[in-house]
Amino acid sequence: MSVMDTMYGKDIYAPISAERIRADLEALAKFNSTPGEGVTRLPFTKEAREACEFLKERFKAAGLETYEDAIGNIIGILPGRDRNLPAIAMGSHYDTVYNGGMFDGQAGVVSALEIVRCLREQGIELERDLRIIAFNDEEGVRFHRSYLGSYGILGRDQQKDIDTYRDRDGISIREAMESWGMDADRIGEAAWDWDRICAFIELHIEQGPVLCSEGLKVGIVQSVVGFRRYMITVHGREDHSGTTPMELRKDAVDTAARVIAWMGDFARSRSDGTVATAGYLKVSPSVENIVPGSCEFSAEVRSENTESLELFTKGLKEAINAAAELCGTSFDMVEKMDISPVKLSPRLCDMLEESCLKRGLSHKRMHSGAGHDAQEIAVACETVMVFCPSRDGRSHCREEWTDFEDIACAASAAYDVILKL
């Protein structure tokens, strides 16, 4: 008879503690540059450093071999009986968007920590090591470039990117790292040997309305959408808004607006779940009575369908060329991200479903419309994600909320998979 068959009785999330998850999340949320206005914790800031030190203390207190790697990930290792066996890894990210919530990413970090505590309390020594990881800079909101931490452990060459990508104040990733006392030339040292990892699990809030609207406890994620992100800068000419005839204007916002409208129309026309967003817009000068001379905006598409991603890229180029010609403007277009859709491990999905059935947890198999570190890790090892409900589907905002008991339910399913592995 297995540990799963004897341990839990009728407690759907034993031995996971929702109360300890709550305490960790509330403590982590205090490292925040916008108190009272959601949680803002951007990479390589004072708040991020405080969060890192907090996590290292918590990891060490749980008995983990703990270190911060060369790119700002926090890693803890629970030794197994046979350290030559490939390890299990679990985690998520500790950075946030601007004015976000205290659950996105962070729920996955503290759940991994809680699983370690439970294993130790139950006196369970795993056959293999368990690594838990708090990724740095998954969101990409500071430098307009995501997955710094997960790319780091994957060993991808990021030397050019850390000099190229800059924040709103013109600070490069390299400069931000150096302000933390890090040697940016050593980021390659963060890479893992992926022959030494057998599986990766990421717990995350859904960030959408499906589980909440259907009254379900757990989402078993089978696939993650791909996405492409571009930054477009339109160059026009500043003129008086009252005295300059329309045929003589070079209006940067007029150009951008035509492209942004095309983006929405394109996504709706696909009827396959494709979404398109222009989430960043900067106009100069931003004055009511001046024709805008410059407009910078983001163009992002997400889809499970690779064909839709390809058609968006082709159509976007055509739309910006046509709009610029009509409005007499010019433009620069830079690709920021190109992430392919991925399928997650069917075997690990089956394990999660078996746990949900044994525990009586309502669940469904689903895909993720948001990008995650797990999407990148899936190219290197067997990977799965487990979702817990987001109230009213809200995320990336201060109203983001997931009940702590629901996080514990999802963590209990991940706990069972770790025992099986």
Side-chain angles (χ1 to χ4, degrees):
M1 188 174 289
S2 72
V3 174
M4 282 179 61
D5 292 328
T6 59
M7 187 182 298
Y8 308 128
K10 294 183 179 180
D11 189 342
I12 60 173
Y13 49 79
I16 303 295
S17 168
E19 179 57 28
R20 286 192 300 219
I21 288 172
R22 179 199 64 76
D24 284 340
L25 283 171
E26 289 180 349
L28 195 54
K30 292 177 182 177
F31 308 119
N32 174 22
S33 66
T34 56
E37 298 179 1
V39 180
T40 304
R41 184 167 54 249
L42 304 185
F44 305 116
T45 59
K46 176 178 73 70
E47 296 76 29
R49 170 48 60 202
E50 292 169 344
C52 286
E53 297 308 314
F54 167 80
L55 289 170
K56 284 190 280 189
E57 289 175 8
R58 283 288 208 267
F59 284 16
K60 290 175 184 176
L64 295 171
E65 300 171 359
T66 301
Y67 67 97
E68 180 175 343
D69 73 11
I71 209 156
N73 298 318
I74 307 302
I75 297 165
I77 303 174
L78 180 66
R81 276 193 286 268
D82 185 351
R83 307 204 67 177
N84 291 317
L85 290 174
I88 305 162
M90 181 177 179
S92 193
H93 60 95
Y94 64 85
D95 64 307
T96 75
V97 297
Y98 292 100
N99 308 106
M102 70 175 187
F103 298 94
D104 177 1
Q106 300 149 88
V109 174
V110 304
S111 294
L113 174 60
E114 173 60 14
I115 285 171
V116 168
R117 292 189 187 116
C118 292
L119 289 168
R120 292 178 63 86
E121 289 170 353
Q122 297 292 325
I124 298 172
E125 184 181 18
L126 298 177
E127 291 290 338
R128 60 187 76 237
D129 286 2
L130 173 61
R131 297 189 195 184
I132 67 174
I133 181 166
F135 288 106
N136 185 19
D137 199 4
E138 183 266 1
E139 296 289 1
V141 297
R142 180 176 179 185
F143 301 104
H144 308 290
R145 193 266 197 196
S146 303
Y147 305 131
L148 184 73
S150 48
Y151 280 9
I153 67 169
L154 287 167
R156 296 192 182 173
D157 183 3
Q158 302 187 88
Q159 284 295 335
K160 181 180 178 181
D161 288 353
I162 65 173
D163 290 313
T164 301
Y165 289 91
R166 297 177 178 270
D167 67 10
R168 295 176 178 182
D169 298 316
I171 298 170
S172 69
I173 298 175
R174 176 184 292 276
E175 291 165 342
M177 292 182 71
E178 291 173 349
S179 75
W180 258 26
M182 303 177 75
D183 184 347
D185 290 326
R186 299 180 65 183
I187 60 175
E189 296 175 12
W192 289 6
D193 176 359
W194 287 94
D195 289 336
R196 308 292 307 137
I197 306 295
C198 71
F200 178 76
I201 304 167
E202 182 171 7
L203 180 149
H204 208 282
I205 62 171
E206 183 197 344
Q207 301 182 279
V210 175
L211 295 177
C212 181
S213 65
E214 297 184 19
L216 301 176
K217 289 291 187 185
V218 174
I220 300 169
V221 183
Q222 300 182 114
S223 62
V224 184
V225 298
F227 70 95
R228 296 183 182 182
R229 183 181 299 157
Y230 302 90
M231 193 65 68
I232 299 171
T233 303
V234 181
H235 307 288
R237 187 183 67 197
E238 297 171 26
D239 283 301
H240 193 291
S241 67
T243 61
T244 308
M246 295 303 294
E247 65 272 16
L248 298 180
R249 294 185 181 211
K250 297 182 178 181
D251 188 331
V253 168
D254 189 1
T255 307
R258 293 170 188 275
V259 178
I260 293 168
W262 172 85
M263 289 166 52
D265 290 342
F266 170 84
R268 282 183 285 269
S269 74
R270 294 301 295 164
S271 301
D272 61 359
T274 296
V275 295
T277 308
Y280 174 80
L281 187 72
K282 181 180 179 181
V283 178
S284 179
S286 185
V287 180
E288 293 90 335
N289 60 356
I290 299 178
V291 176
S294 173
C295 182
E296 184 180 20
F297 67 100
S298 59
E300 181 188 272
V301 62
R302 299 183 185 230
S303 183
E304 284 190 282
N305 186 344
T306 301
E307 181 187 30
S308 291
L309 300 177
E310 295 287 351
L311 289 173
F312 177 87
T313 297
K314 180 176 182 291
L316 180 66
K317 292 175 180 177
E318 292 172 353
I320 185 65
N321 274 298
E325 182 177 356
L326 178 65
C327 298
T329 56
S330 62
F331 67 92
D332 299 312
M333 179 172 164
V334 178
E335 181 182 271
K336 293 289 186 178
M337 299 294 294
D338 181 359
I339 307 296
S340 299
V342 298
K343 302 292 184 183
L344 301 185
S345 166
R347 183 175 78 104
L348 298 182
C349 287
D350 289 345
M351 288 185 183
L352 282 172
E353 186 157 30
E354 181 182 349
S355 171
C356 290
L357 291 170
K358 284 194 172 187
R359 290 177 177 270
L361 297 172
S362 56
H363 61 281
K364 75 177 298 179
R365 297 195 182 214
M366 59 191 303
H367 84 278
S368 172
H372 301 283
D373 289 303
Q375 182 174 17
E376 297 304 310
I377 303 304
V379 305
C381 74
E382 261 196 297
T383 298
V384 75
M385 294 192 71
V386 53
F387 275 173
C388 41
S390 295
R391 183 182 294 174
D392 298 325
R394 304 295 303 281
S395 184
H396 281 189
C397 60
R398 68 192 72 179
E399 293 82 12
E400 176 182 280
W401 187 264
T402 293
D403 290 342
F404 302 111
E405 291 78 9
D406 287 342
I407 299 172
C409 285
S412 69
Y415 178 89
D416 294 343
V417 172
I418 288 170
L419 290 180
K420 279 183 169 293
L421 289 170

